[in-house]
Amino acid sequence: MRILFLGTPEFAASYLEFLLERNYNIVAVISQADKPRGRGQKLLPTPVKEVALKYKIPVFQPKSLAIEGMEVIEKFRPNIGIVVAYGRLLKKPFLDALEFYNVHASLLPKYRGAAPMQRCLEAGEKVTGVTIFKISEGMDDGDIAMQKAFEISECETLGELYEKMIKYGTQLLDKFLTNYPVPLIPQDHTQASYAPKIEKKDLCVDFSMPAEVVRNKIRAYDPVPGTRALLDDVEVKLFGACEVEEFEFDSGHGALPTPGTVVCIDKSKGGLVACEDKALWIKYIQFPGKNKITFNDAKNGGLIKEGMVLKKIE
């Protein structure tokens, strides 16, 4: 089987390398244009392009799939197109020239769109999965070829979910290609939900929300790009949110602390921060221009102390 692979970021590069390591016949690769990356913002190849060059696979970065993309198909004559996080919708006539299948990081029709992993964690989902579907002109609404569901733990971070998506997704793609063609099942569009791309406002933590909601927000962007809050007008990032605790007070102290208040700092657990209803343990904090550190190290360094308040960035 002659495969045309389309993808751009690290996530897609893991899939491409998986296929190449298993000797699938990738005849050509299409990726987005190179962009500045890293601290120096140097113009670097996309992660998918790097893998293609490593394995000496022809790689193209067309401005127009309708023109240059069609030329790739005509030259290499693939039997199927596999798309993983390419970053652009496929349109006619390119879409009609070949059967394209997309690996999507959700159980479609839930979480169609650009950020399914982050959005399902924010929503506190207990189960998610990977879907392989035949691409149509709509947004992730094509017929389903295969799906694999798996559980999400209550403290699971984006980084941990990302690794599971690669593990189970590559296994599913291998199964799909081994059994291709497979019967397709139409999506139930009435059950569709959407996962829009991440905006800056999505990263702002609001401790006036319930503790479970705050935990879901923090873990949805852990380890990158990290959620934000203000500490004495300094923008900090927060990581490692997990355990939720009921408030306990000494006799005569019945008032709940202001949401965002750092109630306690523990060497092993981190900072206990008040939320709307309960308190949440958060292990790491990151100050501007610094690496993330534990709340305890921040306290020892005079950067934070009990009674300080983490406020929402407006």
Side-chain angles (χ1 to χ4, degrees):
M1 184 189 306
R2 298 172 62 81
I3 300 171
L4 173 64
F5 186 93
L6 285 76
T8 301
E10 290 284 355
F11 184 74
S14 297
Y15 280 79
L16 177 58
E17 187 134 32
F18 173 88
L19 294 176
L20 290 167
E21 285 177 349
R22 280 151 185 78
N23 296 315
Y24 279 99
N25 185 20
I26 311 296
V27 295
V29 168
I30 291 178
S31 190
Q32 294 267 37
D34 298 338
K35 291 183 179 179
R37 288 192 286 140
R39 288 188 177 181
Q41 288 295 287
K42 293 182 179 180
L43 189 65
L44 296 173
T46 70
V48 161
K49 182 179 179 180
E50 288 180 340
V51 172
L53 293 174
K54 173 183 171 182
Y55 285 86
K56 297 180 171 55
I57 306 297
V59 56
F60 303 88
Q61 295 167 289
K63 292 182 178 179
S64 170
L65 291 175
I67 300 173
E68 302 152 272
M70 291 294 288
E71 292 172 356
V72 172
I73 291 177
E74 290 168 5
K75 179 178 180 180
F76 292 94
R77 302 292 180 184
N79 306 114
I80 189 174
I82 297 298
V83 183
V84 185
Y86 174 53
R88 289 165 61 184
L89 290 175
L90 306 190
K91 299 290 186 181
K92 297 180 179 181
F94 186 72
L95 189 56
D96 288 340
L98 188 66
E99 285 198 344
F100 288 94
Y101 287 84
N102 184 274
V103 180
H104 186 75
S106 82
L107 292 175
L108 292 173
K110 297 185 72 172
Y111 300 106
R112 296 174 178 173
M117 285 186 276
Q118 294 92 334
R119 299 304 185 186
C120 86
L121 288 173
E122 270 190 309
E125 296 282 3
K126 300 291 191 291
V127 176
T128 188
V130 187
T131 302
I132 297 176
F133 70 95
K134 186 176 180 181
I135 298 178
S136 62
E137 278 204 296
M139 172 66 78
D140 301 331
D141 63 359
D143 294 347
I144 293 171
M146 287 185 178
Q147 288 187 311
K148 167 67 177 179
F150 53 84
E151 294 182 351
I152 305 174
S153 65
E154 66 177 7
C155 294
E156 192 165 315
T157 65
L158 174 64
E160 292 164 336
L161 180 58
Y162 177 96
E163 293 301 324
K164 285 166 71 171
M165 285 291 182
I166 292 173
K167 174 185 175 181
Y168 292 119
T170 51
Q171 292 174 0
L172 191 67
L173 182 56
D174 187 30
K175 181 180 178 181
F176 167 73
L177 290 171
T178 301
N179 291 280
Y180 179 80
V182 300
L184 302 178
I185 301 172
Q187 293 189 39
D188 181 354
H189 303 298
T190 65
Q191 299 299 311
S193 62
Y194 293 88
K197 69 178 183 178
I198 306 305
E199 305 285 352
K200 189 174 181 180
K201 61 182 175 62
D202 295 317
L203 305 177
C204 300
V205 182
D206 183 0
F207 286 98
S208 68
M209 302 295 287
E212 285 82 358
V213 173
V214 176
R215 177 174 65 190
N216 293 342
K217 169 72 76 172
I218 294 172
R219 66 195 186 97
Y221 302 101
D222 183 350
V224 289
T227 48
R228 275 80 162 165
L230 286 178
L231 182 70
D232 276 354
D233 297 323
V234 175
E235 186 174 310
V236 296
K237 296 182 181 181
L238 302 168
F239 307 92
C242 187
E243 186 180 348
V244 171
E245 276 197 13
E246 299 284 351
F247 286 111
E248 292 185 9
F249 300 101
D250 296 331
S251 64
H253 296 81
L256 294 176
T258 301
T261 300
V262 181
V263 179
C264 171
I265 296 176
D266 179 84
K267 185 175 181 179
S268 60
K269 288 186 174 183
L272 184 63
V273 183
C275 299
E276 181 264 341
D277 57 343
K278 301 175 185 177
L280 176 67
W281 285 104
I282 303 172
K283 190 158 190 181
Y284 299 103
I285 186 167
Q286 184 175 5
F287 291 84
K290 305 294 183 181
N291 294 326
K292 69 180 182 181
I293 56 176
T294 66
F295 267 72
N296 192 63
D297 285 342
K299 178 182 179 180
N300 291 338
L303 298 172
I304 195 170
K305 61 183 179 181
E306 285 93 343
M308 296 181 77
V309 179
L310 290 159
K311 300 177 181 178
K312 182 182 179 183
I313 299 172
E314 300 296 344

